[in-house]
Amino acid sequence: MKKIIILCPSPYLNIKNSRIVKDLIQSLQKNNLLALCCWGHNSLFFPPDENNVSFYEDSNGVKVQLYPVPENVSSGAVYIYNVINTLKPDIVMSVGSMEESSILGGIKALDKEAFKWISILAQSTVPVSGEILEYMSYCDKVVSLNDFTTEYLSNNKVGCETVRFLSSAKFFNKNQERKREIVCFCKNSKESNLGAVFGLAKKIKDNNLDIKINLITNKDDNGEYNLDFIVDDLKIRDIIIFPDKSSTIYYGLEDEEINDIMNNSQIIIDASICSCSGISIIEGISAGCIPLTNHVGIYKEFVNSSYMESNSYMGELGFNYSISNIDDLFEKVKYIFLNIEVFKNQSKEKLFMNYKGDFLLKIESIIEELGILNNAAKIYSF
């Protein structure tokens, strides 16, 4: 049995990449997962124990030690190096973008045989700098959550393959009567394109439509928008529904609460301009929502671009709209609600047909190929 650490965002963070980390913890916990070397960990919200040691413990009782990485870039690099040098793992996994993960390339450059590096890339945009590409070339195995990153790296002579991430979190269709509601998950930031959601809400308000939008975002911390001001200024408070409980990047709704909201909604929207994995949309589909996305990032791989200007059912999984075109977004919403009986359940059928839950199985096989672990990891299928 060999030793593993993961360089990743804190599993306590209320972000999608933390779902990947949580699944890896469950999958690898029987194979001597030593620790998480994580960024974004807030010791004020999640304090260390009496020995000043931080831990993460999931709902199944799996407990792993955390090594919080300092925010300062140079200090963080030294800290990661020291953790690796102290624990001497056989394998280091990284979860995140190339910019976040490439520090391991700098460490590997000092000693290529020090450890095996598996990079799980949640990359939203390409290209990246030549320096980062050089660091990525030291990686023993690169896995991307989308095709556009795989293609970019392959064209730059860095081997990479695409593996879709399907969370082990249990989101399912309760087959209950749904309301005339939309659900949208997004970070309170410009890249999440919250303006499109507010624009849609204003259109709904101005046209006197009986439609509500469940906006699940980090409303109660220092996001880029003053959400209460915008909602009041646009007079859309009767359209936008925020979660009942406080929601920040450090804590928010439980999976059961999210599943309830999705089961009350007919449509799930992802308005972001650079989605790398489509996790929210896939979770919404599994709960029976009809997806509506723009045509950028990973969603080019989910839908058929030849239907961009039509109201036809889109490609493999759902509908898309022209980015930055609020009128198109509004018209697609109206069209889906008018034809809800035609489209419901089609997305879920296509999801299970085309996107198998083989992410953890693939990670296990990579580990075995590299000759690192003798025991198979526990697999949680979608």
Side-chain angles (χ1 to χ4, degrees):
M1 186 177 294
K2 304 295 183 178
K3 298 179 291 187
I4 308 169
I5 67 173
I6 307 175
L7 175 64
C8 59
S10 171
Y12 285 112
L13 290 179
N14 191 23
I15 61 175
K16 293 305 177 183
N17 282 351
S18 291
R19 286 206 182 280
I20 302 173
V21 177
K22 291 173 184 176
D23 276 15
L24 287 171
I25 291 171
Q26 276 291 314
S27 177
L28 299 173
Q29 49 100 3
K30 289 187 176 180
N31 291 291
N32 204 13
L33 175 60
L34 288 180
L36 305 183
C37 195
C38 55
W39 59 81
H41 183 73
N42 191 313
S43 296
L44 295 177
F45 281 91
F46 309 104
D49 64 12
E50 63 276 8
N51 297 314
N52 202 34
V53 179
S54 296
F55 289 93
Y56 170 77
E57 185 172 2
D58 69 12
S59 57
N60 296 309
V62 179
K63 192 173 183 179
V64 61
Q65 186 172 347
L66 305 182
Y67 288 84
V69 178
E71 290 186 14
N72 180 277
V73 174
S74 58
S75 299
V78 172
Y79 183 85
I80 293 167
Y81 174 82
N82 287 335
V83 170
I84 293 173
N85 194 43
T86 301
L87 297 181
K88 294 181 170 52
D90 299 288
I91 179 170
V92 180
M93 286 187 183
S94 58
V95 178
S97 67
M98 284 186 265
E99 291 82 356
E100 292 165 330
S101 306
S102 62
I103 179 59
L104 293 177
I107 296 173
K108 285 270 286 184
L110 300 175
D111 183 356
K112 293 182 181 179
E113 304 303 320
F115 56 87
K116 298 290 186 180
W117 173 22
I118 299 174
S119 176
I120 299 169
L121 285 179
Q123 187 76 22
S124 298
T125 59
V126 292
V128 296
S129 71
E131 181 182 28
I132 288 177
L133 279 175
E134 182 180 356
Y135 284 147
M136 292 304 302
S137 69
Y138 287 97
C139 190
D140 295 281
K141 186 67 178 182
V142 184
V143 169
S144 170
L145 303 184
N146 54 64
D147 288 337
F148 66 83
T149 300
T150 297
E151 182 180 2
Y152 171 75
L153 287 175
S154 299
N155 290 339
N156 284 277
K157 298 181 174 55
V158 177
C160 182
E161 65 177 300
T162 302
V163 181
R164 305 295 185 195
F165 175 73
L166 301 179
S167 171
S168 65
K170 302 303 180 185
F171 298 104
F172 58 91
N173 189 345
K174 295 182 177 181
N175 295 309
Q176 66 186 35
E177 184 175 351
R178 294 172 183 258
K179 302 175 183 178
R180 284 176 63 82
E181 291 184 1
I182 297 165
V183 60
C184 179
F185 298 87
C186 55
K187 185 179 178 182
N188 183 357
S189 67
K190 293 181 177 64
E191 72 176 25
S192 293
N193 202 17
L194 263 175
V197 181
F198 294 134
L200 172 63
K202 189 71 166 65
K203 285 277 187 183
I204 291 170
K205 174 79 170 182
D206 292 346
N207 286 270
N208 297 312
L209 298 183
D210 182 24
I211 298 172
K212 309 294 184 187
I213 300 175
N214 292 289
L215 182 55
I216 315 301
T217 186
N218 50 311
K219 175 179 177 291
D220 301 305
D221 60 14
N222 295 322
E224 295 183 17
Y225 294 101
N226 184 331
L227 301 182
D228 284 321
F229 173 82
I230 293 173
V231 167
D232 289 335
D233 186 57
L234 295 177
K235 298 179 174 58
I236 54 174
R237 191 165 288 277
D238 57 334
I239 307 296
I240 297 288
I241 304 172
F242 291 112
D244 290 335
K245 65 164 57 175
S246 181
S247 182
T248 77
I249 197 169
Y250 300 115
Y251 55 84
L253 299 173
E254 301 295 332
D255 287 347
E256 294 81 4
E257 296 170 299
I258 292 173
N259 194 56
D260 287 341
I261 292 172
M262 292 194 295
N263 270 272
N264 278 329
S265 303
Q266 302 275 14
I267 300 172
I268 182 167
I269 291 177
D270 188 339
S272 62
I273 59 176
C274 54
S275 179
C276 66
S277 64
I279 292 175
S280 294
I281 287 292
I282 292 175
E283 291 174 348
I285 291 171
S286 67
C289 297
I290 297 171
L292 177 56
T293 76
N294 57 44
H295 198 251
V296 297
I298 195 171
Y299 296 125
K300 288 184 178 180
E301 301 160 25
F302 277 23
V303 299
N304 188 332
S305 60
S306 64
Y307 292 102
M308 271 291 286
E309 302 305 323
S310 76
N311 278 327
S312 302
Y313 193 73
M314 293 297 160
E316 293 183 6
L317 295 179
F319 290 89
N320 60 28
Y321 70 94
S322 301
I323 189 167
S324 301
N325 189 333
I326 304 301
D327 290 333
D328 188 33
L329 174 59
F330 178 61
E331 291 301 319
K332 291 288 176 22
V333 166
K334 288 197 301 180
Y335 180 77
I336 294 172
F337 274 116
L338 284 172
N339 297 277
I340 205 76
E341 293 301 317
V342 176
F343 299 122
K344 71 178 184 180
N345 297 322
Q346 288 191 35
S347 294
K348 188 170 183 179
E349 292 169 3
K350 292 174 184 290
L351 174 69
F352 284 110
M353 186 184 305
N354 295 298
Y355 293 85
K356 309 299 183 185
D358 62 355
F359 174 80
L360 294 174
L361 184 64
K362 182 61 182 178
I363 298 303
E364 177 193 4
S365 70
I366 291 171
I367 291 170
E368 291 178 345
E369 286 171 14
L370 293 176
I372 295 165
L373 295 183
N374 296 320
N375 299 320
K378 184 177 181 181
I379 301 304
Y380 286 71
S381 62
F382 179 74

